C-alpha cells in the first residue's frame, strides 16, 4: 500500500503546477467577480430603472442556471458570436460572472447595512456622493461582508474543478489525466483532495491576516464561520434556571 502512494507521489511536480494554475485562475476569476459584484450592487441600488433592471436580470439568470452550463456557453457558444476564448479564459470568465452575481447581493446587503446617519453626516460635511461612497460607505460595507466575500473566494477555488470539463489542466483535470495513466484512483484523488484542503485553508489564513490589517479596529471574528454556529442558532434557548414545579 505504501508503495502505491510512493509511486503516485512521483508526479508531485505535476500536481504542484496544477495547484498553482488552480490558485492563479481562481484569483483572476475572483477579481472579475469582485468588480462585477460591486458594479452590480451599485446598479441595483440606483434610482434609475435603466440600471436596476439589467442588474436584476443578471443576478436572477446567473444564480438560477448551473455554472457548468455557463462554462459551456462561454467556451462553445461565444465563438459562434465571434468571441473565441481559450479554455482558461472561458473558465475564468464563467467563474467570475457566476460568483459576481452572488457578490452583487452580498455587497448590496453590506451597503444597506451602513446606517443612514453616516451618509447624512457626510452630506453635512459637504462630501460629494462619490467621496461619501469611497470613504464612508464602502469601508463599512466591506467590513460587514468580508467573511462572506472570503467564502465566495473559497467557493471559486472549489468550483474551479468544473473547468476540467472544458480541458483546463487545473488540479482536478490533471488528477483525471494521471488517474487514466496509473489507474490509482484512491491515491491520485486523495492527493488532489489534500491539495484542495491546503489551498483553501491557506487562502482563509491569508484573508484573516489581511482583514485584521485592513480594518480598524481589526476583525475579531474568523473569516470562516464555525461549522456548528448555524445549528446552534436553530436550537431553543436554554432556560436561565431550573424549572419550578407548581404547588
Amino acid at each position: 500500500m505504501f508503495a502505491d502512494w510512493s509511486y503516485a507521489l512521483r508526479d508531485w511536480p505535476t500536481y504542484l503546477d496544477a495547484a498553482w494554475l488552480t490558485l492563479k485562475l481562481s484569483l483572476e476569476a475572483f477579481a472579475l467577480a469582485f468588480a462585477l459584484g460591486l458594479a452590480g450592487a451599485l446598479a441595483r441600488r440606483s434610482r434609475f430603472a435603466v440600471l436596476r433592471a439589467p442588474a436584476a436580470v443578471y443576478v436572477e439568470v446567473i444564480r438560477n442556471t448551473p455554472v457548468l452550463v455557463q462554462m459551456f456557453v462561454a467556451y462553445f457558444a461565444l465563438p459562434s458570436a465571434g468571441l473565441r476564448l481559450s479554455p482558461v479564459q472561458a473558465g475564468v470568465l464563467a467563474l467570475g460572472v457566476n460568483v459576481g452575481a452572488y457578490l452583487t447581493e452580498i455587497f448590496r446587503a453590506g451597503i444597506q447595512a451602513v446606517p443612514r446617519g453616516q451618509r447624512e453626516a457626510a452630506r453635512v460635511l459637504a462630501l460629494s456622493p462619490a467621496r461619501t461612497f469611497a470613504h464612508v460607505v464602502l469601508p463599512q460595507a466591506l467590513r460587514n461582508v468580508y467573511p462572506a466575500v472570503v467564502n465566495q473566494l473559497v467557493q471559486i477555488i472549489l468550483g474551479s474543478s468544473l473547468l476540467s470539463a472544458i480541458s483546463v489542466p487545473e488540479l482536478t483535470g490533471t488528477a483525471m489525466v494521471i488517474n487514466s495513466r496509473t489507474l490509482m484512483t484512491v491515491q491520485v484523488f486523495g492527493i488532489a483532495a489534500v491539495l484542495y484542503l491546503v489551498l483553501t485553508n491557506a487562502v482563509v489564513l491569508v484573508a484573516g491576516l489581511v482583514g485584521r490589517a485592513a480594518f480598524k479596529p481589526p476583525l475579531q471574528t474568523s473569516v470562516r464561520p464555525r461549522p456548528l454556529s448555524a445549528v446552534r442558532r436553530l436550537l431553543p434557548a436554554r432556560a436561565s434556571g431550573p424549572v419550578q414545579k407548581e404547588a
Side-chain angles (χ1 to χ4, degrees), residues 22-36 88-89 91-100 103 152-153 156-157 160 163:
T22 296
L23 180 61
K24 180 181 176 181
L25 61 86
S26 297
L27 293 177
E28 292 175 354
F30 179 74
L32 175 61
F34 190 95
L36 289 175
V88 172
Q89 292 172 336
V92 169
L93 176 63
L95 284 176
V97 170
N98 179 268
V99 176
L103 287 181
Q152 290 301 313
L153 174 55
I156 287 181
I157 295 175
S160 65
L163 299 183

Side-chain angles (χ1 to χ4, degrees), residues 21 61 68 71 77 83 100 117 142 149 151 160 167 185 189-190 207 209 242:
L21 178 61
V61 170
L68 186 59
M71 291 179 185
L83 182 59
L142 287 178
V149 171
N151 185 61
S160 65
S167 303
T185 305
F189 288 103
L209 296 176

Side-chain angles (χ1 to χ4, degrees), residues 7 10 15 58 73 82 96 130 134 148 170 194 227 242:
Y7 182 79
R10 292 181 180 179
Y15 286 111
Y58 161 65
V73 170
E170 44 73 54
V194 170

Side-chain angles (χ1 to χ4, degrees), residues 168-202:
V168 176
E170 44 73 54
L171 190 52
T172 299
T174 300
M176 293 173 65
V177 172
I178 296 176
N179 180 62
S180 65
R181 187 181 74 245
T182 62
L183 301 179
M184 303 173 66
T185 305
V186 174
Q187 291 81 1
V188 169
F189 288 103
I191 294 171
V194 170
L195 288 176
Y196 275 117
L197 285 171
V198 172
L199 283 178
T200 54
N201 282 279

Side-chain angles (χ1 to χ4, degrees), residues 123-155:
R123 191 179 302 114
V124 170
L125 295 175
L127 293 179
S128 65
R131 295 188 64 185
T132 298
F133 179 77
H135 298 286
V136 178
V137 177
L138 184 60
Q140 297 183 70
L142 287 178
R143 181 186 180 89
N144 293 334
V145 302
Y146 187 73
V149 171
V150 174
N151 185 61
Q152 290 301 313
L153 174 55
V154 173
Q155 293 303 314

Side-chain angles (χ1 to χ4, degrees), residues 56-137:
V57 171
Y58 161 65
V59 170
E60 291 302 319
V61 170
I62 295 300
R63 293 201 307 174
N64 291 283
T65 55
V67 62
L68 186 59
V69 173
Q70 297 165 16
M71 291 179 185
F72 288 157
V73 170
Y75 187 57
F76 296 110
L78 288 183
S80 62
L83 182 59
R84 297 187 177 276
L85 301 174
S86 67
V88 172
Q89 292 172 336
V92 169
L93 176 63
L95 284 176
V97 170
N98 179 268
V99 176
Y102 292 92
L103 287 181
T104 294
E105 294 302 291
I106 291 173
F107 286 144
R108 186 163 72 103
I111 293 172
Q112 289 178 344
V114 177
R116 186 179 181 84
Q118 300 285 337
R119 300 182 181 87
E120 295 176 351
R123 191 179 302 114
V124 170
L125 295 175
L127 293 179
S128 65
R131 295 188 64 185
T132 298
F133 179 77
H135 298 286
V136 178
V137 177

Side-chain angles (χ1 to χ4, degrees), residues 214-233:
F215 299 110
K216 304 299 180 183
L219 291 175
Q220 299 298 326
T221 58
S222 173
V223 296
R224 174 176 286 183
R226 295 179 180 179
L228 297 179
S229 59
V231 177
R232 292 194 182 100
R233 286 196 295 268

